Amino acid sequence: MENEDEDRIRTWSNDSYRYPRQSSTRRYLVSALVGIVIVYLLFFVRLPFFVFMPGTAEEIKPMVTIPKASDEEKGTLMLTTVRVADANIVNYIVGMLHPYEEIQPKTSVLRKGESEQEYTQRQEYVMLTSQSSAIQAAYTHAKIPFHISHEGVMVLQTLPGLSGEKVLKPGDVLLKAGNKEVKVAQDLLDALKGKKAGESISITYARQKVEQTADLTLGALPKQEGEQGEPRAGIGVVPADMQSVKADQEDQQVSIKAGEIGGPSAGLMFSLEIFNQLVPEDITKGYRIAGTGTIETDGTVGPIGGIQHKIIAADRQKADFFFAPKDVTYPDGTKVLNYTDAVARANQIKSKMKVVEIGTMDDALKFLAALPPK
């Protein structure tokens, strides 16, 4: 009996010793799980907002290649970017408090029905068209003969519920519709003219330069505002013409590789860099010149967004001058104050950089021509 009592006491003592250890382990596990959930909520749950902040100021010369180019460039021409991040709880709070960051709802950036992937593709497309306009403007100012080559139609967006959504992706290039070669978007419309929903058509397209063919069934397209009668039949894509600018002389052909930079706002700076490589004199004269602005083929410079962030990016790279699009007032009274906003932000950060108001490529070239060599 005595031994049995000892055994019972010993067993009870061991159980009571182990119990707190199990309880403590359980608390640690619960705490760890709570911590993981909190981290997940703070950093990985995406909010319906974008955070805009200063990006980079990047030298353009390495992005532009011309076989017969002038190597003389003592200064630097730089494009400027805005960094855009998906908002989580942490960077949303930081963005609300930070004086140089900005929060915008995604609905103010994305078009109706547009996914973020389609938005990215649209930005890549407008960068390509911006580069095309920049090359044309530079060729025209440098008096270089050139011609335009049409190279197919890019898919920017697919419409939900139609056959294009199942087969095609943003970035695909349409090459043929039925037996008709597709060079411009009108060629696709012509190939579909007279066809009805339920009929099919063979579409040849290129994805990452690999050619493919698929049969797509036509569906009823959503009616556009003011459209009357039966809805048109289509495959459900938003098309965009692709073109390239070809110099008549091969050794003056421009090629641009801008990496992952998207959007149209580097047009002005690309045109200046291309021009500088085409002419014998160095227009930079040893200065560090940053800037922004869209460019038309005739050299007209247009307004852009996020210039207050680009000023900071340029200042960080110690630019001497910043080319900002001139303030614009549209017929409906809407104002885009690029130059005014750029000056205000430069003053706010106490930058030594001079902000220069630019309306055309000629304005920029005249300003540079008047500078003394550094």
Side-chain angles (χ1 to χ4, degrees), residues 92-140:
Y92 179 87
I93 294 171
V94 171
M96 292 293 289
L97 299 175
H98 199 289
Y100 304 136
E101 293 187 9
E102 177 185 4
I103 306 290
Q104 286 190 27
K106 290 183 178 181
T107 52
S108 69
V109 178
L110 303 177
R111 292 176 176 173
K112 184 178 180 181
E114 184 179 51
S115 68
E116 290 185 38
Q117 180 190 1
E118 289 167 340
Y119 168 74
T120 299
Q121 186 58 54
R122 175 161 61 89
Q123 291 300 99
E124 291 178 12
Y125 174 75
V126 295
M127 170 57 106
L128 292 174
T129 58
S130 175
Q131 291 173 3
S132 174
S133 296
I135 294 170
Q136 291 183 65
Y139 277 161
T140 299

Side-chain angles (χ1 to χ4, degrees), residues 23 93 112 280 316 352:
S23 177
I93 294 171
K112 184 178 180 181
R316 287 173 178 170
K352 296 178 181 178

Side-chain angles (χ1 to χ4, degrees), residues 53-359:
M53 61 195 82
T56 59
E58 301 187 30
E59 184 179 352
I60 304 176
K61 187 174 183 180
M63 304 179 190
V64 176
T65 302
I66 306 174
K68 188 181 179 181
S70 171
D71 292 329
E72 184 73 16
E73 189 166 295
K74 294 179 180 177
T76 303
L77 290 161
M78 295 179 284
L79 60 79
T80 49
T81 69
V82 177
R83 184 183 165 204
V84 183
D86 278 309
N88 55 39
I89 292 175
V90 172
N91 62 16
Y92 179 87
I93 294 171
V94 171
M96 292 293 289
L97 299 175
H98 199 289
Y100 304 136
E101 293 187 9
E102 177 185 4
I103 306 290
Q104 286 190 27
K106 290 183 178 181
T107 52
S108 69
V109 178
L110 303 177
R111 292 176 176 173
K112 184 178 180 181
E114 184 179 51
S115 68
E116 290 185 38
Q117 180 190 1
E118 289 167 340
Y119 168 74
T120 299
Q121 186 58 54
R122 175 161 61 89
Q123 291 300 99
E124 291 178 12
Y125 174 75
V126 295
M127 170 57 106
L128 292 174
T129 58
S130 175
Q131 291 173 3
S132 174
S133 296
I135 294 170
Q136 291 183 65
Y139 277 161
T140 299
H141 281 74
K143 296 180 171 52
I144 303 295
F146 67 94
H147 57 280
I148 305 298
S149 174
H150 295 284
E151 298 187 349
V153 174
M154 180 182 288
V155 175
L156 289 187
Q157 185 179 351
T158 58
L159 304 182
L162 293 166
S163 58
E165 181 188 35
K166 301 173 184 176
V167 176
L168 301 170
K169 294 182 179 180
D172 288 348
V173 178
L174 305 182
L175 304 174
K176 290 180 71 176
N179 296 322
K180 185 174 183 60
E181 193 172 11
V182 175
K183 288 287 188 181
V184 295
Q186 187 60 47
D187 293 335
L188 176 63
L189 297 177
D190 291 343
L192 298 175
K193 192 173 182 180
K195 292 186 177 294
K196 296 182 179 180
E199 296 184 43
S200 63
I201 188 168
S202 174
I203 297 291
T204 301
Y205 61 97
R207 179 175 296 164
Q208 296 180 344
K209 299 184 179 179
V210 177
E211 194 169 304
Q212 304 179 53
T213 301
D215 289 329
L216 273 67
T217 302
L218 304 185
L221 297 176
K223 282 192 175 184
Q224 298 178 348
E225 189 175 345
E227 185 178 350
Q228 302 293 325
E230 291 292 320
R232 293 175 298 116
I235 58 175
V237 298
V238 177
D241 291 343
M242 293 185 66
Q243 65 177 30
S244 61
V245 184
K246 302 289 187 183
D248 290 355
Q249 295 185 32
E250 204 169 307
D251 60 3
Q252 295 175 323
Q253 180 61 46
V254 175
S255 61
I256 301 175
K257 292 183 179 180
E260 296 182 356
I261 298 171
S265 63
L268 168 63
M269 301 310 294
F270 271 124
S271 66
L272 293 176
E273 176 61 44
I274 295 164
F275 179 84
N276 201 35
Q277 292 194 30
L278 290 170
V279 298
E281 68 273 11
D282 175 22
I283 66 173
T284 70
K285 297 182 178 179
Y287 294 95
R288 294 178 63 79
I289 304 144
T292 188
T294 64
I295 194 82
E296 301 294 333
T297 56
D298 65 357
T300 301
V301 175
I304 52 84
I307 199 164
Q308 66 274 25
H309 304 301
K310 296 180 178 184
I311 283 287
I312 294 174
D315 183 71
R316 287 173 178 170
Q317 290 300 315
K318 304 187 185 309
D320 297 300
F321 301 102
F322 186 94
F323 289 164
K326 69 178 183 179
D327 293 344
V328 176
T329 301
Y330 293 103
D332 64 357
T334 303
K335 295 183 179 181
V336 182
L337 306 179
N338 273 181
Y339 173 71
T340 297
D341 290 344
V343 171
R345 179 51 57 89
N347 291 337
Q348 186 181 16
I349 64 174
K350 296 179 172 54
S351 176
K352 296 178 181 178
M353 176 176 64
K354 178 179 174 59
V355 179
V356 182
E357 187 174 21
I358 301 294

